[in-house]
Amino acid sequence: AKKVVPTLRSVQKLFVNLHDMVSGAIVESQSVTESASVLTPYDFKQRQEESAVINRLLAAKMTEISAVHNKWREEAAYSAEDDFQTRLYKLQNPESCSSAKKLVCDMDREGCGLGCQLHYGVTCIAASFALNRTTILRLGNWIYTKGLTNRWEDYFVPPSPKCQWTPYSEPLTVWRNASHNALNTVLYPLDVFNVQYFKPFRVAESFADRLRHFHGRPWIWWIGQLLVNLFRVQTDFEDLFAKRAKAIGFKSPIVGVHVRRSDKTASEARAYDLEAYMALVEEYYDRLELTQKVDQRRVFLASDAPSVYVEFRMKYPQYALVHNQAAAKSSARKETRRSEDSLRGIMADMYFLAKTDHLVCTMSSNVCRIVYAVLQTRFPDATRRYDSVDIEYIYMGSNPLYHKAVHPNEAGVDGISLGFNVGDRIRVKDTYWNGTSYGLIVQQNGSWVEDKGQRGSFPAYKLQEDLEVF
Ligand code: GDP
């Protein structure tokens, strides 16, 4: 009991502080409205800067408050991880490979980068877990292995090291439903848009409750735990990377910045200036400095565009720039995208990005999303350890991620504000910079309205992410 009292006191003190800061923020914004007509653009800028400072202080306080529970959270996280990985290990290492039920993941995706390939694999491992089958990877014409002597297993430990792919004389049956459960070996329909009931954002029901307790986004914890069964570099690479980390000066505090350019920004996504990334890095360090001393602001930079490294050096000399030069060199040579070098390059970059304290990247890239999920396996809860320069997290062909109303919202006469009650389920389409979300009601007063649900805007804080299970 002696230990508990000071802990509670410190929480109370922090809350009082927090309250003072929040009321300060409200007074601040009122004065902005009252005097809006007489404020010059300069004043507005100053007000904006002041509210940024208040936000930063609030975030720092929140970190302190949650740190009070760190020990408990760590224990909860490690025990959940231990339970889950033990179960998965048993499944992936059966006594006999021939008699074990197997699920073959057809990873023969020619145009898929490493991040993209890992996402296919995650879906398949989730299916293995749900169907109680050992995962077998089948890789043939993948860009990094096609026509080359290197194989996936040379880089990564396969999910089930003992049971490997061997060609079957009969074509394998594709698993579609429970009627295929009796078959010894089935093929997983690895179609990215094929929604299955055990796909993210759903998590196994047997883990849901405990995850809700210690993690802000249980579904990303889940994806991270599945991922480490795939993104597990072979020991010789692990040794190589550990040596390399020392050589390049990789140490905490360090922010991982991933700037995706080349083929991606030519067709699929917008290219953002380095400044957009660095404003978020700066903000992270300003916040960190409120809770600890930072001797040197450090960035681990990864990009498929070599010019970004040059630009960084020129524009941000005050930062310690850490990067894996070998990777930079290999991504510079376009023709090596298919080569061994290029797989090694992106593998190292993702490995190092996942060892940073905070990520700044574009969630439109598979690389950014994979690294964010792996980050969850290094901290009890790494929900907030990222800033995306473009969109929010997505998962291709996922089950929907619903939100539940925790505060009611009144329908506005304007026809724009969405009315809902506590407990209603909402599908969020977008959340904007000013804290407003746009979405549609899918469940109202307990009954599903799905497509007929009303659409509209509301303050984002009135909802909480809701966890779906399989
Ligand atoms: P996405 O296209 O960004 O969504 O992700 P993919 O996984 O489909 O493709 C990423 C591919 O682009 C990688 O496999 C690399 O070939 C290349 N790439 C992207 N970013 C980097 C990077 O930071 N470093 C290196 N070395 N290669 C990168």
Side-chain angles (χ1 to χ4, degrees), residues 28 101 122 218 304 326 331-333 363:
E28 195 66 37
K101 292 259 176 76
V122 163
D304 51 344
S331 63
R333 297 202 309 268
M363 283 287 181

Side-chain angles (χ1 to χ4, degrees), residues 6-149:
T7 312
L8 280 179
R9 269 210 203 110
S10 57
V11 175
Q12 274 171 343
K13 219 176 102 198
L14 284 169
F15 268 112
V16 171
N17 269 342
L18 195 64
H19 179 78
D20 289 349
M21 280 160 55
V22 173
S23 23
I26 291 166
V27 170
E28 195 66 37
S29 64
Q30 270 172 354
S31 62
V32 172
T33 336
E34 278 162 19
S35 49
S37 53
V38 291
L39 285 179
T40 64
Y42 171 77
D43 291 330
F44 264 123
K45 193 166 178 301
Q46 198 183 0
R47 296 284 185 211
Q48 249 177 355
E49 278 164 16
E50 280 165 7
S51 57
V53 172
I54 292 167
N55 270 335
R56 199 173 301 142
L57 286 167
L58 278 173
K61 283 288 166 205
M62 292 304 286
T63 311
E64 268 181 71
I65 289 170
S66 52
V68 171
H69 293 297
N70 263 359
K71 186 103 196 79
W72 164 85
R73 199 189 289 269
E74 261 169 34
E75 275 164 19
Y78 295 144
S79 100
E81 174 171 347
D82 198 39
D83 286 354
F84 179 67
Q85 293 302 341
T86 306
R87 271 162 74 172
L88 208 53
Y89 183 87
K90 276 198 191 126
L91 197 62
Q92 306 292 25
N93 295 277
E95 303 235 313
S96 145
C97 282
S98 54
S99 58
K101 292 259 176 76
K102 293 175 285 289
L103 185 69
V104 176
C105 307
D106 196 350
M107 311 252 292
D108 223 349
R109 316 252 139 207
E110 206 171 332
C112 210
L114 179 61
C116 161
Q117 190 71 296
L118 288 166
H119 274 125
Y120 281 115
V122 163
T123 307
C124 196
I125 295 189
S128 301
F129 186 81
L131 302 173
N132 225 1
R133 286 173 178 272
T134 306
T135 314
I136 309 284
L137 302 184
R138 186 169 82 98
L139 293 125
N141 290 321
W142 190 35
I143 46 165
Y144 298 107
T145 47
K146 187 183 179 183
L148 298 166
T149 50

Side-chain angles (χ1 to χ4, degrees), residues 111-117 143-144 258-260 262-264 268 302-304 309 327-328 330-331 337 342 345-347 349 353 364-367 369:
C112 210
L114 179 61
C116 161
Q117 190 71 296
I143 46 165
Y144 298 107
H258 177 239
V259 181
R260 183 74 166 102
S262 66
D263 60 319
K264 186 85 175 182
E268 284 177 40
S303 178
D304 51 344
Y309 298 89
S330 76
S331 63
R337 190 174 146 84
S342 137
I346 182 61
M347 173 182 164
D349 272 344
L353 283 170
S364 59
S365 167
N366 276 294
V367 174
R369 299 198 298 274

